[in-house]
Amino acid sequence: MSTQQLPQSTIKEVELLLYCARTHITPTIAARIQKLLLEDIDWEYLIRIAQRHRVMPLLYHSLQSISPELVPPAKLNQLRQDFQANLFRSIFITQSLLKFLSLFESNQIPALSFKGSILGASAYGNFSLRQTRDLDILVHKHHYQKAVDLLIAAGGEICLDLPSECHFLFYDRTLCIDLHCEIIPKDYSRSISDNYWWQNLEHFELSGEKVLNLSPEACFFMLCLQGTKDCWYMLHRICDVAEVIRTYPEMNWMQIMDQANRFGCKRIVSVALVLTKNLLEASLPEEVLKEVESDPAVKSVVEQVSKQLFCETTEEKIEGVPKDLFHMSTREHFKDRLQILVSLLNTHGWFTPTEHDLEFLRLPKFLYFLYYLTRPIRLIARYRLSLLQYLRIKK
């Protein structure tokens, strides 16, 4: 486990969290946890970062299983209350999921749940060990509008409407359902066809009901893409990947790496694997580890993620230019980086003139259209060094 990028004052708390943020504790890890618990732990800080990274259930479960007597009673009680609240929430979300999957089935709409309760049950072995805030459901594109209408008829209130997903609030805003026609927006999964997810399914028993679930390999790809989309700013995304690796040791790694090459996301997969190995000591075949560490850019991205992961100044999601540049750095092909740049910058309004552009260069009204050219030129000049760094071809 690597904590080299962390401030000295927080290392022991972060180490303790990383040792606890897993479902399977080896005797060696248990001994390390007990040793750390004998030190002067800043429990306020530990609980705060566990809450931020959505790994409170794992923290409590590990501490309660190993040495609860070494945890201050008030803090253990706080962790227990949070664990129980998450348990009740998980039961509610799982029951709601089964209800809405049944609704879709009765209306001849194939629906796939991903992340959330089904990931907690399948990869973590217990859905209460993973914090889940909402439901993510995928339907085919040709069923998407029908599914939207069905959720509206069921009492859903649209709170966010995007090209490939629509978010609904139910039960006095206590439940959010994210309906998708793409698991990951095409900006992040350009080379993966929508059919890939539907062609890699298996049945899984969730609370006594058989539901569709992604195959382990497809789930692994989805989690790598999801973590990259979010810039790996949350530990629970890394835990998701680590738990899939632990639960499904029979995954075909040769097939996974071949597919990653074909999808143009080998670097995305490599970053995910190195993060799980460095931070959570995931067990990987030696040949796979050697292959993913052969790309120098992977080391650079992993260092960037590790440096900001527990930084107090990055508690909010990474947005804007840093996010765009990060996504570019995770793709190995120049064409992909260029396409992502244009698409994401357009999404963030880099091609839409602002007041700063009007002040920078005053043009008469009949030449206003020139602002659409001067704005990207001005911003490219401003961020030229960073853009050159991320656009260059890295062998």
Side-chain angles (χ1 to χ4, degrees):
M1 180 182 66
S2 174
T3 55
Q4 295 176 356
Q5 302 290 336
L6 299 172
Q8 285 294 125
S9 60
T10 64
I11 282 182
K12 59 181 181 294
E13 287 81 14
V14 171
E15 282 186 345
L16 181 56
L17 183 63
L18 291 175
Y19 286 139
C20 291
R22 57 193 81 188
T23 59
H24 180 66
I25 306 293
T26 65
T28 301
I29 297 299
R32 293 175 186 172
I33 291 174
Q34 290 172 328
K35 182 178 179 181
L36 283 168
L37 288 173
L38 294 173
E39 297 189 28
D40 184 20
I41 296 295
D42 183 343
W43 287 95
E44 294 293 335
Y45 174 71
L46 176 63
I47 291 174
R48 185 167 72 249
I49 59 174
Q51 289 172 333
R52 177 202 157 196
H53 288 281
R54 300 183 204 166
V55 291
M56 285 284 282
L58 290 173
L59 176 62
Y60 170 74
H61 181 262
S62 296
L63 293 175
Q64 177 64 35
S65 302
I66 295 167
S67 293
E69 72 281 0
L70 296 179
V71 181
K75 299 305 178 185
L76 187 63
N77 186 56
Q78 180 183 348
L79 289 167
R80 182 183 297 112
Q81 290 177 351
D82 284 341
F83 182 85
Q84 291 173 343
N86 183 69
L87 171 61
F88 296 141
R89 175 72 180 171
S90 298
I91 293 172
F92 166 67
I93 286 180
T94 302
Q95 291 175 341
S96 300
L97 172 63
L98 294 174
K99 172 185 173 181
F100 283 101
L101 289 178
S102 177
L103 176 65
F104 285 129
E105 183 180 12
S106 64
N107 284 271
Q108 293 78 49
I109 301 176
L112 168 68
S113 173
F114 62 100
K115 300 188 295 185
S117 297
I118 196 164
L119 179 62
S122 61
Y124 287 67
N126 184 336
F127 56 63
S128 69
L129 294 179
R130 185 182 188 274
Q131 283 187 238
T132 300
R133 298 191 305 179
D134 50 28
L135 299 178
D136 289 278
I137 298 176
L138 177 72
V139 299
H140 288 285
K141 285 185 177 180
H142 58 275
H143 287 140
Y144 183 65
Q145 189 56 53
K146 181 180 178 182
V148 168
D149 295 339
L150 191 62
L151 291 179
I152 293 174
E157 173 191 348
I158 295 178
C159 60
L160 182 63
D161 192 0
L162 300 172
S164 62
E165 61 185 275
C166 191
H167 297 192
F168 295 84
L169 294 174
F170 286 88
Y171 312 136
D172 294 324
R173 294 175 169 256
T174 59
L175 175 70
C176 182
I177 296 180
D178 298 348
L179 182 69
H180 303 256
C181 61
E182 296 175 355
I183 277 189
I184 300 289
K186 284 301 178 185
D187 289 334
Y188 309 100
S189 59
R190 192 172 301 278
S191 301
I192 302 180
S193 71
D194 295 332
N195 288 334
Y196 170 78
W197 311 109
W198 294 102
Q199 292 168 353
N200 288 274
L201 299 177
E202 58 185 28
H203 283 96
F204 181 79
E205 188 169 306
L206 180 65
S207 296
E209 299 288 337
K210 277 191 175 182
V211 297
L212 291 176
N213 191 22
L214 289 171
S215 70
E217 291 82 4
C219 182
F220 171 78
F221 273 118
M222 180 272 293
L223 294 173
C224 291
L225 291 165
Q226 186 68 55
T228 302
K229 173 177 170 286
D230 293 342
C231 302
W232 296 109
Y233 85 110
M234 298 281 279
L235 178 60
H236 81 106
R237 294 289 185 210
I238 303 172
C239 293
D240 287 345
V241 178
E243 291 302 322
V244 168
I245 293 172
R246 182 195 60 80
T247 302
Y248 302 104
E250 72 281 3
M251 282 199 298
N252 188 331
W253 284 106
M254 291 298 294
Q255 178 186 348
I256 287 173
M257 299 310 293
D258 286 344
Q259 284 181 322
N261 269 322
R262 292 200 303 272
F263 293 156
C265 63
K266 182 180 176 183
R267 187 173 295 168
I268 286 175
V269 167
S270 298
V271 167
L273 291 177
V274 175
L275 283 171
T276 59
K277 179 69 168 60
N278 287 359
L279 297 176
L280 299 172
E281 298 166 296
S283 179
L284 298 171
E286 193 63 35
E287 61 274 16
V288 172
L289 190 59
K290 184 177 179 180
E291 182 176 355
V292 300
E293 290 179 337
S294 64
D295 181 355
V298 171
K299 181 180 179 181
S300 175
V301 175
V302 168
E303 286 179 352
Q304 180 184 352
V305 171
S306 302
K307 185 176 181 180
Q308 62 85 29
L309 189 60
F310 293 103
C311 180
E312 293 273 33
T313 60
T314 57
E315 292 193 356
E316 299 299 324
K317 287 185 70 173
I318 301 170
E319 297 291 354
V321 176
K323 183 176 182 180
D324 297 337
L325 297 180
F326 177 85
H327 289 139
M328 290 165 58
S329 72
T330 62
R331 304 311 285 262
E332 57 263 33
H333 300 309
F334 177 82
K335 185 178 76 170
D336 288 339
R337 292 200 290 274
L338 191 58
Q339 288 176 330
I340 290 173
L341 173 67
V342 173
S343 179
L344 290 177
L345 296 190
N346 186 48
T347 300
H348 288 300
W350 271 44
F351 299 119
T352 303
T354 65
E355 290 184 7
H356 294 295
D357 300 298
L358 301 182
E359 294 174 0
F360 176 74
L361 180 64
R362 297 188 179 278
L363 295 172
K365 286 186 177 180
F366 73 92
L367 292 178
Y368 185 88
F369 69 93
L370 291 177
Y371 284 120
Y372 290 93
L373 298 176
T374 60
R375 174 167 171 76
I377 291 172
R378 185 177 70 83
L379 291 176
I380 287 172
R382 179 180 175 183
Y383 296 106
R384 62 188 182 279
L385 295 179
S386 296
L387 289 172
L388 286 173
Q389 174 188 352
Y390 287 99
L391 272 173
R392 70 177 184 268
I393 300 174
K394 301 173 182 178
K395 299 295 184 182

